[in-house]
């Protein structure tokens, strides 16, 4: 969910409700000569309201599970999940009187804070990472197709180097057919279409071009392991690749410089897609913490309510 002008009514409502209930809390604390608790009417009301908001926030999972239900748009449910979930925190604190009376109450407050913090973290990721992906990963490849795309780019690099240095690997006998390198579904842009067109005309050289041995060694020991994921560069990967290819350009004959430039471009594509995978993980993996904590919170909240009614 993006924080934009459409969220202003929700923000205003959440702030107003927090201030209004805070004023009620202050009034109740003064009237009863002490902060409200679960044993007072005001404290009970705060607790019921907080748990009701938690339950409502949990219904977002049900709404997403049944997207065809006509009970409001998913965007509206998501906004309600965020802002009403945030409102549950001050209501729970008012209910407890800002005190942890017992282990169960302490566990509930800690869980609620953890759920809110993880939810805010996820909200920040959803607002920051897509923009970062657009700026840092201009290559357009869907996340699901990244492994297939990288494999095809490595095969293309094999053929590219093989057209100068001879066969790269003994088992490398795949045909260089147009379907092997189509951009449809894997990515878009003139660079990909250009490489697909070039791949059609590549022919593996029967004999290596004189002076190509350093290029072959460079490809087998640096470029190909990086493309296959067996070699990693710590820190600034773009800088490391630039330095590496710059050094190779110095020791290589000028006739190999265009090929090295293309290999550098393919390595840059892999660098971008590795970054995309990391950002994608940050964008989604926070749910692995947020959802279980939220479920535990709802279960312990129900136990807390039952225990309060019993005693």
């Amino acid at each position: 969910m993006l924080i934009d002008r459409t969220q202003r009514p929700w923000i205003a409502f959440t702030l107003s409700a927090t201030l209004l209930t805070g004023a009620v809390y202050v009034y109740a604390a003064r009237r009863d000569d002490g902060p409200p608790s679960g044993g007072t009417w005001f404290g009970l009301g705060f607790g019921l309201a907080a748990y009701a908001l938690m339950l409502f926030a949990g219904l977002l999972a049900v709404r997403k599970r049944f997207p065809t239900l006509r009970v409001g748009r998913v965007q509206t449910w998501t906004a309600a999940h965020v802002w009403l979930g945030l409102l549950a925190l001050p209501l729970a604190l008012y209910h407890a009187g800002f005190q942890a009376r017992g282990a169960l109450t302490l566990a509930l407050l800690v869980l609620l804070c953890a759920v809110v913090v993880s939810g805010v973290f996820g909200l920040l990721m959803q607002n920051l990472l897509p923009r970062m992906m657009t700026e840092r990963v201009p290559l357009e490849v869907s996340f699901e197709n990244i492994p297939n795309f990288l494999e095809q780019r490595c095969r293309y690099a094999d053929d590219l180097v093989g057209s100068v240095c001879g066969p790269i690997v003994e088992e490398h006998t795949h045909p260089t057919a147009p379907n092997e390198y189509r951009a449809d579904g894997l990515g878009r842009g003139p660079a990909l279409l250009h490489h697909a067109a070039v791949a059609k005309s590549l022919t593996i050289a029967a004999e290596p071009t004189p002076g190509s041995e350093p290029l072959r060694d460079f490809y087998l020991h640096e470029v190909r392991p990086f493309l296959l994921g067996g070699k990693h560069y710590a820190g600034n990967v773009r800088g490391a690749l630039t330095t590496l290819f710059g050094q190779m350009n110095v020791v290589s004959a000028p006739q190999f410089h265009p090929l090295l430039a293309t290999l550098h471009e393919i390595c840059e594509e892999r660098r971008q897609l590795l970054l995309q995978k990391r950002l994608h993980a940050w964008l989604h993996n926070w749910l692995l913490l947020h959802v279980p904590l939220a479920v535990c919170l709802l279960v312990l909240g129900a136990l807390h309510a039952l225990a309060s009614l019993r005693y």
Side-chain angles (χ1 to χ4, degrees):
M1 185 188 75
L2 295 179
I3 305 298
D4 52 23
R5 64 181 61 186
T6 63
Q7 302 302 313
R8 290 176 182 175
W10 285 102
I11 296 174
F13 170 78
T14 302
L15 291 176
S16 300
T18 301
L19 294 175
L20 179 60
T21 52
V24 173
Y25 173 83
V26 172
Y27 166 77
R30 290 182 176 179
R31 195 194 72 161
D32 298 334
D33 295 328
S37 65
T40 65
W41 286 109
F42 282 103
L44 181 60
F46 287 135
L48 290 175
Y51 192 67
L53 292 179
M54 295 177 202
L55 285 175
F56 181 82
L59 290 177
L60 175 63
V62 180
R63 179 64 182 86
K64 288 185 174 181
R65 182 67 177 82
F66 301 98
T68 59
L69 290 178
R70 296 184 178 180
V71 286
R73 298 184 304 168
V74 174
Q75 293 86 344
T76 304
W77 278 81
T78 303
H81 172 88
V82 170
W83 301 112
L84 297 183
L86 284 174
L87 181 57
L89 179 58
L91 291 179
L93 292 174
Y94 298 155
H95 167 70
F98 293 89
Q99 300 179 28
R101 300 182 179 93
L104 183 55
T105 303
L106 177 61
L108 280 169
L109 290 176
V110 171
L111 269 177
L112 180 55
C113 290
V115 169
V116 169
V117 169
S118 61
V120 170
F121 175 80
L123 189 62
L124 290 175
M125 294 298 99
Q126 292 173 8
N127 281 267
L128 297 177
L129 292 187
R131 186 182 308 168
M132 189 180 300
M133 285 185 181
T134 301
E135 295 174 352
R136 299 189 181 184
V137 189
L139 182 65
E140 299 181 34
V141 178
S142 64
F143 181 78
E144 295 77 11
N145 281 322
I146 287 179
N148 187 30
F149 175 80
L150 290 175
E151 179 184 357
Q152 292 187 19
R153 300 301 281 146
C154 183
R155 296 172 71 182
Y156 166 59
D158 284 349
D159 283 347
L160 193 65
V161 177
S163 66
V164 174
C165 303
I168 298 303
V169 289
E170 293 181 0
E171 66 274 15
H172 187 65
T173 58
H174 65 275
T176 314
N179 287 339
E180 295 279 348
Y181 300 96
R182 67 183 185 274
D184 178 49
L186 298 176
R188 300 192 300 277
L192 296 180
L193 296 177
H194 168 71
H195 291 320
V198 171
K200 298 178 185 179
S201 60
L202 288 177
T203 302
I204 304 301
E207 296 293 335
T209 301
S212 65
E213 189 61 29
L215 173 62
R216 178 187 178 88
D217 291 341
F218 173 71
Y219 180 73
L220 289 177
H221 294 94
E222 296 291 343
V223 177
R224 199 167 194 271
F226 177 71
L227 296 180
L228 294 176
K231 190 177 188 66
H232 305 277
Y233 297 100
N236 184 358
V237 179
R238 173 183 286 179
L241 290 174
T242 300
T243 301
L244 196 64
F245 277 93
Q247 293 171 348
M248 193 61 198
N249 273 315
V250 172
V251 300
S252 299
Q255 61 179 324
F256 301 129
H257 289 179
L259 189 150
L260 284 170
T262 302
L263 292 177
H264 191 181
E265 182 180 349
I266 295 174
C267 288
E268 171 62 16
E269 291 173 354
R270 174 167 175 78
R271 185 198 67 81
Q272 290 184 28
L273 295 181
L274 289 176
L275 176 60
Q276 180 181 338
K277 290 179 68 174
R278 288 197 297 270
L279 294 178
H280 188 274
W282 279 102
L283 188 59
H284 294 88
N285 287 354
W286 65 274
L287 288 170
L288 299 177
L289 176 66
H290 182 72
V291 173
L293 288 177
V295 172
C296 291
L297 177 64
L298 292 177
V299 172
L300 286 183
L303 293 177
H304 174 68
L306 291 175
S308 299
L309 292 175
R310 181 174 180 181
Y311 298 105

